[in-house]
Amino acid sequence: MIIKCNNLVKTYHQEGQDLRAVDNASFSVEAGAFVAILGHSGSGKTTLLSLIGGLARPDAGSIIINDVDCWQQSEAQLAIMRNQTIGFIFQFGSLIPTLTAIENVLLPLSFADAGTNPAENIPLARELLDQVGLADKENAFPAHLSGGQQRRVAIARAFINRPSIILADEPTGDLDEETEREILDIFRHYNTEQKTTFLVVTHNSSLVSTQHNPRTFLMKSGQLSETTAKNESA
Ligand code: ADP
Ligand code: MG
């Protein structure tokens, strides 16, 4: 079991009101799983992903990754775990505008332990940019890339630490169909060849139909339920 969440709750306080963005969510995911989380805008998908990734602290409940209870760790230990284990693909632009595409891809390595030399990973960064179709854009700054190209740089960046888990928040939301298919092929490659575990948030069920038997969950008003199609003959 790689990820286990128990009774997660996250409430936002806004204009004197409490909003339960995540309402008692529990689930477990095995290593190497491909999981799709569907749900309407505002249903709490991004909040759930930020809890799973240790970017936001739950009000209640626990997140256990590789047998480690995230919030029983010090902030420093949690940061190391995030950096070494998890690759994030955020919903909205997250590139550093003053860094080139390849510098953005290499950036997570500067937060890794002191023994890591980002320069040694330039070949890997190039390979990742090539995989997302941006081999000729390594020296471009984000402002000179289209929204879809920026998104692809962010996808390449998520893989640079060779994470065992990728958390992706609507990774193909602003991409055309062909690019979307290419990105999903990359995900599938890492999922089947490297056994990378994927949790992918999407409001677009084409991702579910093009992936081979993903586990699917539905988020509805903060409540999470599994909707994986059961094989009736099994
Ligand atoms: P989704 O990703 O499914 O669109 P979100 O997790 O972004 O949903 O948001 C869930 C709910 O929480 C929404 O009603 C949203 O307005 C609210 N929300 C999200 N982030 C914050 C925040 N930082 N402060 C207050 N409310 C928030
Ligand atoms: Mg969202």
Side-chain angles (χ1 to χ4, degrees), residues 45-46 91 169-170 201:
K45 305 181 299 299
T46 294
Q91 183 172 9
D169 198 354
E170 309 208 14
V201 161

Side-chain angles (χ1 to χ4, degrees), residues 10-15 17 19-22 37-50 91-92 169-170 201 203 219 221-222:
K10 182 71 180 179
T11 305
Y12 293 118
H13 308 281
Q14 213 178 31
E15 292 164 16
Q17 302 229 331
L19 184 115
R20 256 192 186 213
V22 173
I37 302 172
L38 295 148
H40 290 148
S41 177
S43 58
K45 305 181 299 299
T46 294
T47 304
L48 178 68
L49 220 57
S50 64
Q91 183 172 9
F92 297 111
D169 198 354
E170 309 208 14
V201 161
H203 59 234
M219 196 70 176
S221 305

Side-chain angles (χ1 to χ4, degrees), residues 144-157:
H144 298 148
L145 296 171
S146 71
Q149 289 171 333
Q150 292 180 31
R151 173 56 65 120
R152 286 186 273 156
V153 173
I155 289 168
R157 180 184 57 188

Side-chain angles (χ1 to χ4, degrees), residues 3-187:
I3 305 173
K4 192 164 167 49
C5 296
N6 299 305
N7 305 104
L8 289 179
V9 175
K10 182 71 180 179
T11 305
Y12 293 118
H13 308 281
Q14 213 178 31
E15 292 164 16
Q17 302 229 331
D18 282 352
L19 184 115
R20 256 192 186 213
V22 173
D23 189 2
N24 226 18
S26 297
F27 72 98
S28 301
V29 170
E30 310 74 30
F34 194 101
V35 175
I37 302 172
L38 295 148
H40 290 148
S41 177
S43 58
K45 305 181 299 299
T46 294
T47 304
L48 178 68
L49 220 57
S50 64
L51 294 178
I52 297 169
L55 297 175
R57 190 181 193 122
D59 304 322
S62 60
I63 300 134
I64 295 160
I65 296 183
N66 291 331
D67 297 322
V68 175
D69 189 332
C70 295
W71 293 100
Q72 299 299 318
Q73 308 283 296
S74 68
E75 288 280 346
Q77 286 170 315
L78 180 62
I80 291 170
M81 194 194 76
R82 273 197 297 258
N83 190 264
Q84 294 180 345
T85 311
I86 301 175
F88 287 97
I89 300 168
F90 295 97
Q91 183 172 9
F92 297 111
S94 55
L95 301 182
I96 307 290
T98 53
L99 298 180
T100 63
I102 195 161
E103 288 167 349
N104 267 285
V105 172
L106 289 164
L107 188 65
L109 297 172
S110 6
F111 305 116
D113 61 84
T116 307
N117 177 2
E120 282 170 12
N121 286 281
I122 289 173
L124 175 62
R126 289 213 169 107
E127 185 187 325
L128 289 165
L129 282 171
D130 186 37
Q131 281 179 342
V132 296
L134 293 176
D136 56 340
K137 297 287 184 193
E138 71 171 67
N139 295 316
F141 288 95
H144 298 148
L145 296 171
S146 71
Q149 289 171 333
Q150 292 180 31
R151 173 56 65 120
R152 286 186 273 156
V153 173
I155 289 168
R157 180 184 57 188
F159 287 95
I160 193 76
N161 274 336
R162 303 174 180 84
S164 50
I165 302 169
I166 292 273
L167 302 177
D169 198 354
E170 309 208 14
T172 61
D174 47 11
L175 302 177
D176 58 81
E177 262 177 55
E178 191 184 332
T179 313
E180 175 176 39
R181 218 172 9 250
E182 285 166 11
I183 298 298
L184 294 179
D185 284 346
I186 295 168
F187 286 8

